[in-house]
Amino acid sequence: FAFAANTWAIALAQLPVLAYVRTRRRTRATAVAGVLFAVCWLIVLAAGHLSTAAAASAALIVAAAVFGLGETFLSPSLPAIVNDVAAEDVRGRYVAVYSTSWQIGPMIGPAMAGAALADGQGAPLLLGLAAACALAWPAALRCERLLPAAANRSHAEAG
């Protein structure tokens, strides 16, 4: 059900979020994604403290939907920034590094999470994930000042 909630959140929110993001700075959409990811991890943490399995399951389903909503904000913004800041002759390298960064998490995340959970450190792990994701907000706003304006605006807005 959690995977279905994630998929449905993406499917239902994709077009409205894309329309919204097209009129905003890409760094702002990236910041919103970070906050939504942080909220997702906090919901997962809270799910572990609920008194019934049904309530915990419902919370995990909501967390997956919130994560999907975060994905809808991130997908049209961060890859576009990477493409727009790269010079034509090195664009492939920029995209390769960006793509590799997305593969590192699924490779090392389960091992790190497994070690933390085995050591009874689930709450610190989830709080750390939430904090790291929440830091995307100020980081994105800081990058906003460093990026060329053309890279931070959608082509629909710039045109």
Side-chain angles (χ1 to χ4, degrees), residues 83-107:
N83 276 310
D84 284 350
V85 298
E88 189 73 31
D89 59 331
V90 292
R91 183 166 291 133
R93 291 183 188 138
Y94 275 58
V95 171
V97 169
Y98 174 76
S99 297
T100 300
S101 73
W102 277 99
Q103 296 309 309
I104 292 171
M107 288 189 304

Short mmCIF file of all heavy atoms in Angstrom, two decimals, residues 83-107:
data_model
loop_
_atom_site.label_atom_id
_atom_site.label_comp_id
_atom_site.label_asym_id
_atom_site.label_seq_id
_atom_site.Cartn_x
_atom_site.Cartn_y
_atom_site.Cartn_z
N ASN A 83 21.62 20.57 -15.97
CA ASN A 83 21.76 20.73 -17.42
C ASN A 83 22.05 22.17 -17.81
O ASN A 83 22.84 22.42 -18.72
CB ASN A 83 20.51 20.24 -18.14
CG ASN A 83 20.53 18.76 -18.36
OD1 ASN A 83 21.50 18.22 -18.86
ND2 ASN A 83 19.46 18.10 -17.99
N ASP A 84 21.41 23.11 -17.16
CA ASP A 84 21.57 24.51 -17.55
C ASP A 84 22.87 25.14 -17.08
O ASP A 84 23.34 26.10 -17.68
CB ASP A 84 20.38 25.34 -17.06
CG ASP A 84 19.14 25.11 -17.90
OD1 ASP A 84 19.24 24.46 -18.97
OD2 ASP A 84 18.06 25.58 -17.50
N VAL A 85 23.47 24.63 -16.00
CA VAL A 85 24.74 25.22 -15.55
C VAL A 85 25.94 24.61 -16.27
O VAL A 85 27.01 25.20 -16.28
CB VAL A 85 24.96 25.12 -14.02
CG1 VAL A 85 23.88 25.87 -13.27
CG2 VAL A 85 25.07 23.69 -13.56
N ALA A 86 25.75 23.47 -16.89
CA ALA A 86 26.86 22.79 -17.57
C ALA A 86 27.12 23.43 -18.92
O ALA A 86 26.20 23.70 -19.68
CB ALA A 86 26.53 21.32 -17.75
N ALA A 87 28.39 23.63 -19.19
CA ALA A 87 28.79 24.08 -20.53
C ALA A 87 28.53 22.94 -21.51
O ALA A 87 28.56 21.76 -21.14
CB ALA A 87 30.26 24.48 -20.54
N GLU A 88 28.29 23.29 -22.74
CA GLU A 88 27.95 22.29 -23.77
C GLU A 88 28.96 21.16 -23.84
O GLU A 88 28.59 20.00 -23.94
CB GLU A 88 27.83 22.99 -25.13
CG GLU A 88 27.28 22.13 -26.23
CD GLU A 88 25.80 21.88 -26.09
OE1 GLU A 88 25.08 22.73 -25.56
OE2 GLU A 88 25.36 20.79 -26.51
N ASP A 89 30.25 21.47 -23.76
CA ASP A 89 31.28 20.45 -23.95
C ASP A 89 31.45 19.52 -22.75
O ASP A 89 32.08 18.46 -22.89
CB ASP A 89 32.62 21.10 -24.30
CG ASP A 89 33.11 22.07 -23.25
OD1 ASP A 89 32.28 22.68 -22.56
OD2 ASP A 89 34.35 22.22 -23.12
N VAL A 90 30.91 19.85 -21.59
CA VAL A 90 31.04 18.99 -20.41
C VAL A 90 29.68 18.57 -19.84
O VAL A 90 29.62 17.98 -18.76
CB VAL A 90 31.89 19.66 -19.30
CG1 VAL A 90 33.33 19.80 -19.73
CG2 VAL A 90 31.29 21.00 -18.89
N ARG A 91 28.63 18.84 -20.55
CA ARG A 91 27.29 18.52 -20.06
C ARG A 91 27.14 17.04 -19.73
O ARG A 91 26.55 16.67 -18.71
CB ARG A 91 26.22 18.97 -21.05
CG ARG A 91 24.80 18.72 -20.52
CD ARG A 91 23.75 19.44 -21.30
NE ARG A 91 23.90 20.86 -21.04
CZ ARG A 91 23.91 21.79 -21.99
NH1 ARG A 91 23.76 21.46 -23.24
NH2 ARG A 91 24.05 23.06 -21.68
N GLY A 92 27.67 16.18 -20.56
CA GLY A 92 27.59 14.75 -20.31
C GLY A 92 28.23 14.36 -18.99
O GLY A 92 27.72 13.52 -18.26
N ARG A 93 29.35 15.00 -18.65
CA ARG A 93 30.01 14.71 -17.37
C ARG A 93 29.17 15.20 -16.20
O ARG A 93 29.07 14.52 -15.18
CB ARG A 93 31.39 15.37 -17.35
CG ARG A 93 32.34 14.73 -18.31
CD ARG A 93 33.71 15.35 -18.22
NE ARG A 93 34.52 14.83 -19.30
CZ ARG A 93 35.33 15.55 -20.03
NH1 ARG A 93 35.46 16.83 -19.79
NH2 ARG A 93 36.03 15.00 -20.99
N TYR A 94 28.58 16.37 -16.33
CA TYR A 94 27.72 16.88 -15.26
C TYR A 94 26.55 15.93 -15.01
O TYR A 94 26.23 15.60 -13.86
CB TYR A 94 27.16 18.26 -15.64
CG TYR A 94 28.06 19.42 -15.32
CD1 TYR A 94 29.34 19.51 -15.84
CD2 TYR A 94 27.62 20.45 -14.50
CE1 TYR A 94 30.16 20.59 -15.57
CE2 TYR A 94 28.42 21.53 -14.22
CZ TYR A 94 29.68 21.60 -14.76
OH TYR A 94 30.48 22.67 -14.48
N VAL A 95 25.92 15.50 -16.09
CA VAL A 95 24.77 14.61 -15.96
C VAL A 95 25.21 13.27 -15.39
O VAL A 95 24.50 12.67 -14.56
CB VAL A 95 24.04 14.45 -17.32
CG1 VAL A 95 22.99 13.37 -17.27
CG2 VAL A 95 23.43 15.78 -17.74
N ALA A 96 26.39 12.79 -15.79
CA ALA A 96 26.88 11.52 -15.25
C ALA A 96 27.14 11.61 -13.75
O ALA A 96 26.78 10.70 -13.00
CB ALA A 96 28.16 11.11 -15.98
N VAL A 97 27.73 12.70 -13.30
CA VAL A 97 27.98 12.87 -11.87
C VAL A 97 26.65 12.99 -11.12
O VAL A 97 26.48 12.38 -10.06
CB VAL A 97 28.89 14.09 -11.60
CG1 VAL A 97 28.93 14.43 -10.12
CG2 VAL A 97 30.29 13.82 -12.13
N TYR A 98 25.73 13.74 -11.67
CA TYR A 98 24.41 13.87 -11.05
C TYR A 98 23.72 12.51 -10.96
O TYR A 98 23.18 12.14 -9.92
CB TYR A 98 23.54 14.86 -11.84
CG TYR A 98 22.13 14.93 -11.35
CD1 TYR A 98 21.81 15.62 -10.19
CD2 TYR A 98 21.10 14.29 -12.03
CE1 TYR A 98 20.51 15.67 -9.72
CE2 TYR A 98 19.80 14.34 -11.57
CZ TYR A 98 19.51 15.03 -10.42
OH TYR A 98 18.23 15.07 -9.96
N SER A 99 23.74 11.75 -12.05
CA SER A 99 23.12 10.43 -12.06
C SER A 99 23.79 9.48 -11.07
O SER A 99 23.11 8.71 -10.38
CB SER A 99 23.17 9.82 -13.46
OG SER A 99 22.43 10.61 -14.36
N THR A 100 25.10 9.55 -10.98
CA THR A 100 25.83 8.70 -10.03
C THR A 100 25.45 9.05 -8.60
O THR A 100 25.31 8.17 -7.75
CB THR A 100 27.35 8.85 -10.23
OG1 THR A 100 27.67 8.45 -11.57
CG2 THR A 100 28.13 8.00 -9.26
N SER A 101 25.24 10.33 -8.34
CA SER A 101 24.87 10.73 -6.98
C SER A 101 23.55 10.10 -6.56
O SER A 101 23.34 9.82 -5.39
CB SER A 101 24.80 12.25 -6.87
OG SER A 101 23.64 12.77 -7.51
N TRP A 102 22.66 9.86 -7.52
CA TRP A 102 21.38 9.22 -7.21
C TRP A 102 21.53 7.72 -7.00
O TRP A 102 20.64 7.09 -6.44
CB TRP A 102 20.36 9.49 -8.32
CG TRP A 102 19.73 10.81 -8.11
CD1 TRP A 102 20.05 11.98 -8.72
CD2 TRP A 102 18.71 11.13 -7.16
NE1 TRP A 102 19.27 13.00 -8.23
CE2 TRP A 102 18.45 12.50 -7.26
CE3 TRP A 102 17.99 10.38 -6.24
CZ2 TRP A 102 17.50 13.14 -6.49
CZ3 TRP A 102 17.04 11.02 -5.46
CH2 TRP A 102 16.81 12.39 -5.60
N GLN A 103 22.62 7.13 -7.46
CA GLN A 103 22.83 5.70 -7.28
C GLN A 103 23.56 5.37 -5.99
O GLN A 103 23.51 4.24 -5.50
CB GLN A 103 23.59 5.13 -8.47
CG GLN A 103 22.83 5.24 -9.77
CD GLN A 103 21.41 4.69 -9.66
OE1 GLN A 103 21.20 3.58 -9.20
NE2 GLN A 103 20.43 5.48 -10.08
N ILE A 104 24.26 6.33 -5.42
CA ILE A 104 25.02 6.09 -4.19
C ILE A 104 24.09 5.77 -3.02
O ILE A 104 24.34 4.85 -2.25
CB ILE A 104 25.93 7.29 -3.88
CG1 ILE A 104 27.03 7.37 -4.94
CG2 ILE A 104 26.53 7.17 -2.49
CD1 ILE A 104 27.87 8.62 -4.87
N GLY A 105 23.00 6.50 -2.89
CA GLY A 105 22.06 6.28 -1.79
C GLY A 105 21.51 4.87 -1.75
O GLY A 105 21.60 4.20 -0.71
N PRO A 106 20.95 4.38 -2.87
CA PRO A 106 20.44 3.00 -2.85
C PRO A 106 21.53 1.94 -2.64
O PRO A 106 21.23 0.84 -2.21
CB PRO A 106 19.79 2.83 -4.23
CG PRO A 106 19.46 4.21 -4.65
CD PRO A 106 20.53 5.10 -4.07
N MET A 107 22.77 2.30 -2.92
CA MET A 107 23.85 1.33 -2.71
C MET A 107 24.30 1.28 -1.25
O MET A 107 24.46 0.21 -0.69
CB MET A 107 25.04 1.65 -3.62
CG MET A 107 24.78 1.35 -5.08
SD MET A 107 26.22 1.47 -6.14
CE MET A 107 26.81 3.12 -5.86
#
